[in-house]
Amino acid sequence: WLQLCHFIHSPTAHLVQCLSMADAVANSGYVLIFVSCAVILGLYAPWLWKGRPPPYAEGAAQAPPQRTPSGLPLAAHCSIAMFGALCAAAGNIMAYRVVLQEHLQGTILERRGVGGVITTLLISGALLFLFGSHCALLGTGCVPARPRRVASAECGAIGLTLLIIIGKFSMGIVHYSAPCCACV
């Protein structure tokens, strides 16, 4: 009984528990990123095929709210997309929290090299573009004159994010480990 109790409370067992919890947080982050990207791509798929919706009839007493090519009101479309961009950013923080820690400590170049800095900046820039462009679209209050161009830019930002993550997966970089376990 004492040996079993010692094994359960040993630092090695605690380290294994910390690592499995870290893997679960990172996996949840990846799921959040991929689901958010799928939702935003789903919002813009009709934009690529349909283009601009037909204008409302002249002389109507009250024009209905501006609708996107997917049929959603513009405010709902932008709100969903902004929430999706925020969820993808939260997932990115969950999945790459060790890299974020290294950025804040200033040790990213020694541990990850220039590639770590570049990929972090590209993903951060793409997610910032997604959020900012939907804020601007919400502020204008109307569907852009060239919706396919806007949809291509939004899908390009999502594509860049997903390609970088899939590229990291293909190189075997799925879970980052901290230099030391903070919970020991």
Side-chain angles (χ1 to χ4, degrees):
W1 172 257
L2 287 176
Q3 288 177 340
L4 178 63
C5 188
H6 177 69
F7 175 74
I8 291 173
H9 296 298
S10 70
T12 306
H14 191 65
L15 179 63
V16 168
Q17 181 184 6
C18 287
L19 291 178
S20 64
M21 180 60 121
D23 291 349
V25 170
N27 290 341
S28 300
Y30 287 126
V31 167
L32 198 55
I33 292 169
F34 286 117
V35 168
S36 299
C37 289
V39 166
I40 295 173
L41 286 175
L43 287 173
Y44 279 101
W47 289 52
L48 294 171
W49 287 293
K50 292 181 182 177
R52 190 169 178 82
Y56 295 111
E58 292 291 328
Q62 183 178 6
Q66 183 70 31
R67 297 211 174 262
T68 63
S70 59
L72 288 172
L74 186 65
H77 172 89
C78 292
S79 299
I80 292 169
M82 288 186 326
F83 183 71
L86 289 175
C87 287
N92 194 37
I93 290 171
M94 290 168 65
Y96 299 111
R97 66 194 177 289
V98 174
V99 177
L100 178 63
Q101 172 193 355
E102 291 171 359
H103 272 289
L104 294 174
Q105 290 175 340
T107 59
I108 186 74
L109 287 175
E110 294 89 29
R111 294 190 181 155
R112 308 275 177 225
V114 177
V117 175
I118 291 172
T119 57
T120 302
L121 289 176
L122 285 173
I123 290 176
S124 299
L127 294 176
L128 186 63
F129 168 75
L130 282 170
F131 185 79
S133 65
H134 287 102
C135 286
L137 188 61
L138 184 61
T140 62
C142 64
V143 175
R146 296 185 176 168
R148 286 190 179 117
R149 181 179 288 180
V150 172
S152 297
E154 303 294 338
C155 291
I158 292 289
L160 177 67
T161 302
L162 293 178
L163 282 176
I164 290 172
I165 293 171
I166 291 170
K168 288 183 178 187
F169 283 172
S170 70
M171 294 186 328
I173 305 171
V174 178
H175 297 110
Y176 290 95
S177 59
C180 64
C181 185
C183 56
V184 173

